[in-house]
Amino acid sequence: MRLGGRLAAAIEVLEDIGRRHRPVADALKDWGLSHRFAGGGDRAAIGNIVYDALRRRRSAGWLLGQDTPRAIGFGALLLEWGQTAQSLNDALDGDKFAPPLLDADELKALATRRPEDAPEAVRADIPDWCEPLFERAFGEAWVEEGAALATRPPLDLRVNTLQADRGKVLVELADTGAKSARLAPQGIRIPPIDGDGRHPNVQAEPAFQKGWFEVQDEGSQIVAALTGAEAGMQVLDYCAGAGGKTLALSAEMGNRGQIFAHDAEKARLAPIFDRMRRSENRNIQIVSKPAELAPLSGHMDIVLVDAPCTGSGTWRRRPDAKWRLTQRQLDQRKGEQSAILDAAKAFVKPGGLLVYITCSVFDAENSDQVAAFRERHDGFSAVDHRALWDGHFPGHAAAARIGAAGGISLSPALSATDGFYLCALRRSG
């Protein structure tokens, strides 16, 4: 397929997403199933246009003066693919599968509008209602941080030290462009792709099948390390999900001690079994039933609450979620987070840690939740988060934001990771 056909297909997928309000991955999968003639390179390029259009929806639409699938599809190519109005029309001219060429009104808009002149929320590529949330979280840097959440993400890996070391994995992945991560000691980064490129299928690598590494954002690796799990500890991962942080903590502990992996929705735990077998994590126990948690009450050195949240810190990877999010959904997540914290505290032993983590950048889900929890419950005090950060990542003070009342925040513009928040509370006793 030529660029025109790929752009037309991307616009078709964007129309489907808007009409049926469905996740982008589902829409792209269905398009591929109904257009089996499209090769892997075509599907990758179409997906790139769709994801770029959703990440840059506000700024792409603003360039052409309208928020339509056509406008944001064209706008994505102009903003992210190095195209110009002239080069696009030249590429599409004569292609019977291409959408109509840019018309006079669109060309006029492009000639008179510059991205740097757009309103702040447009340059940040966020919904208008999120503007005060970003301002509160990031202060004067909120536009920059929003824009960073609209960029293409890298592909990050975590070396499983139970099976390999970083040098060994880097040799295996030498042809992928993989390099050591800047902060995470076991992290590996494959840079963001350009244009119609695609990341290598690292899960097809023999090294992955042998359990040498897992796919995990560097920010997730960092907050797992900050949890402070050590060999011999008793740890409860209360919202374990598919087990990414559980596996990271197990490796930190050298398979010594115990990690109990629990999730209120036990179906989420399903992937962890294969991951454990492949990675040879042997100190993990799956606790799927609430009744099985009772014996753990008051005995855990660390209780990790990787709370369900809006996922605003992952918008680079899930840009469609940015436009589906509502205040009502945010409020619902806040209620869930409060209830989970109240339940999880019972498992922390005196002197132990309750570690609260989200992949959100909103204070309402982060520092506000911690403050409200401490108002409801005596006996939990924040650790020295500056000392915690410097102890794990000396020389990188500028890569994290330490809250006035405690807590550590990561974000794409600041730490070049997804957005994460961590706060560690020590129980008195």
Side-chain angles (χ1 to χ4, degrees):
M1 296 172 68
R2 294 163 59 185
L3 179 61
R6 290 172 169 180
L7 175 56
I11 292 171
E12 182 181 339
V13 173
L14 290 166
E15 288 171 342
D16 180 36
I17 293 169
R19 181 174 61 254
R20 300 170 64 184
H21 305 287
R22 59 203 309 244
V24 59
D26 292 349
L28 283 167
K29 180 181 178 180
D30 284 355
W31 188 93
L33 290 173
S34 60
H35 297 78
R36 293 184 182 273
F37 63 84
D42 291 325
R43 290 195 300 271
I46 293 162
N48 288 351
I49 298 172
V50 169
Y51 272 91
D52 286 339
L54 291 170
R55 291 187 190 104
R56 304 297 305 273
R57 176 174 152 182
R58 292 294 304 275
S59 52
W62 185 84
L63 277 181
L64 280 85
Q66 51 189 322
D67 181 19
T68 64
R70 171 184 165 85
I72 64 175
F74 272 89
L77 293 178
L78 294 165
L79 291 170
E80 296 290 340
W81 292 56
Q83 295 282 350
T84 65
Q86 186 62 54
S87 67
L88 266 180
N89 271 354
D90 288 346
L92 305 186
D93 193 19
D95 183 350
K96 65 179 181 179
F97 298 107
L101 302 184
L102 291 164
D103 62 28
D105 290 338
E106 291 169 329
L107 290 170
K108 180 179 179 181
L110 290 172
T112 56
R113 294 188 169 206
R114 300 183 305 166
E116 57 269 29
D117 295 332
E120 290 181 316
V122 172
R123 286 187 280 122
D125 270 296
I126 61 172
D128 285 332
W129 75 271
C130 290
E131 181 173 335
L133 300 175
F134 270 75
E135 277 195 277
R136 184 178 172 213
F138 299 114
E140 294 182 354
W142 74 271
V143 173
E144 177 189 1
E145 290 284 0
L149 277 166
T151 59
R152 290 187 177 186
L155 175 60
D156 290 344
L157 315 174
R158 177 186 59 81
V159 175
N160 174 26
T161 52
L162 300 174
Q163 297 273 59
D165 58 49
R166 186 155 65 176
K168 185 176 180 179
V169 176
L170 284 171
V171 170
E172 286 292 308
L173 300 178
D175 60 348
T176 67
K179 304 290 184 184
S180 295
R182 181 168 69 104
L183 295 172
Q186 306 306 330
I188 289 176
R189 171 158 291 184
I190 299 173
I193 54 177
D194 294 319
D196 62 357
R198 49 179 167 171
H199 277 132
N201 181 12
V202 294
Q203 293 184 338
E205 294 284 340
F208 177 80
Q209 300 300 326
K210 289 185 285 189
W212 290 6
F213 67 85
E214 291 284 334
V215 177
Q216 186 176 21
D217 179 75
E218 186 182 8
S220 181
Q221 297 179 49
I222 289 169
V223 293
L226 290 169
T227 299
E230 298 177 356
M233 284 186 170
Q234 301 289 302
V235 178
L236 170 60
D237 189 350
Y238 193 72
C239 304
K245 293 184 181 66
T246 302
L247 298 177
L249 296 180
S250 173
E252 289 278 341
M253 297 166 68
N255 262 338
R256 298 188 294 277
Q258 288 184 306
I259 302 178
F260 301 91
H262 170 74
D263 200 284
E265 295 187 26
K266 61 182 179 181
R268 293 177 181 166
L269 291 166
I272 197 173
F273 295 97
D274 283 341
R275 299 177 80 180
M276 288 168 55
R277 283 191 288 269
R278 187 179 63 250
S279 302
E280 295 194 4
N281 296 92
R282 295 187 299 273
N283 65 334
I284 300 172
Q285 296 188 39
I286 309 302
V287 183
S288 60
K289 299 177 181 178
E292 297 172 339
L293 287 171
L296 309 182
S297 183
H299 288 84
M300 297 294 102
D301 294 292
I302 299 172
V303 175
L304 172 62
V305 174
D306 187 7
C309 66
T310 59
S312 53
T314 68
W315 280 349
R316 295 186 301 175
R317 305 177 194 280
R318 299 177 59 242
D320 50 324
K322 173 165 50 174
W323 311 111
R324 291 198 306 269
L325 183 64
T326 65
Q327 180 66 55
R328 181 178 179 181
Q329 291 170 326
L330 172 57
D331 292 340
Q332 180 179 349
R333 287 287 179 257
K334 287 161 56 181
E336 294 168 353
Q337 292 155 6
S338 297
I340 289 170
L341 277 170
D342 289 349
K345 70 176 178 58
F347 301 98
V348 185
K349 75 177 188 181
L353 287 176
L354 176 62
V355 181
Y356 178 69
I357 293 173
T358 76
C359 55
S360 173
V361 298
F362 298 151
D363 287 350
E365 298 183 274
N366 297 335
S367 56
D368 288 359
Q369 282 288 10
V370 172
F373 171 81
R374 294 182 64 190
E375 286 182 7
R376 294 193 303 273
H377 305 288
D378 295 330
F380 286 88
S381 57
V383 305
D384 183 339
H385 286 85
R386 173 53 66 187
L388 177 64
W389 176 263
D390 291 342
H392 282 83
F393 304 103
H396 293 285
R401 185 176 293 104
I402 311 298
I408 296 171
S409 297
L410 307 174
S411 59
L414 187 67
S415 53
T417 68
D418 283 355
F420 277 93
Y421 173 83
L422 174 144
C423 185
L425 302 172
R426 190 171 298 282
R427 185 171 192 172
S428 60

